[in-house]
């Protein structure tokens, strides 16, 4: 059995998870990463995606996050999400609304840089929609 560590998932609205876990899979900006106990210290931005949490008791939960950052230390991991919700509770209408807003942002972009950022965010949301 893998060594457990403390994981917390926090959104502005509430604390979603605060428990001992075996591992967490995070959609980091540089790619998906698995966090285990005694992980090297890392701070990373989090892109929209699904966070998978395997609890020390063996259960597994999935959460949709819309950006944020993760602070990873050997003794634990804290993910501060801009917005987060359990996959089982995902509001597909809200996700569709966010996709429409991202399309509008891309269309209304004033510069190539803004357009590129908006299109990247739109692609992440579309991938997320396929995942849930």
């Amino acid at each position: 059995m893998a060594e457990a560590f403390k994981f917390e998932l926090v959104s502005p609205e509430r604390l979603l998870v605060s428990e001992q876990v075996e591992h967490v899979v995070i959609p980091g900006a540089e790619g998906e990463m698995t966090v285990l106990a005694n992980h090297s210290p890392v701070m990373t931005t989090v892109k929209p995606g699904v966070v998978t949490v395997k609890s020390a008791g063996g259960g597994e939960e999935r959460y949709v996050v819309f950006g944020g950052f993760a602070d990873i230390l050997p003794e634990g991991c804290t993910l501060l999400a801009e917005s987060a919700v359990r996959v089982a509770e995902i509001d597909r209408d809200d996700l569709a609304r966010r996709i429409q807003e991202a399309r509008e942002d891309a269309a209304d972009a004033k510069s190539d840089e803004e357009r590129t950022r908006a299109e990247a965010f739109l692609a992440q949301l579309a991938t997320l929609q396929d995942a849930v």
Side-chain angles (χ1 to χ4, degrees), residues 10 22 33 54 61 65 79 84 91 94 102 106 127 131:
V10 183
E22 285 186 16
M33 61 188 300
K54 171 111 186 241
E61 285 282 342
V65 296
L79 194 158
D91 181 343
D94 179 53
T127 299

Side-chain angles (χ1 to χ4, degrees), residues 2-3 5 12 62 82 89 120:
E3 185 178 342
F5 65 98
R62 293 171 17 128
E82 291 175 18
E89 299 170 358

Side-chain angles (χ1 to χ4, degrees), residues 38-54:
N38 303 310
H39 195 288
S40 297
V42 174
M43 185 169 279
T44 184
T45 55
V46 175
K47 67 181 182 179
V50 176
V51 173
T52 304
V53 180
K54 171 111 186 241

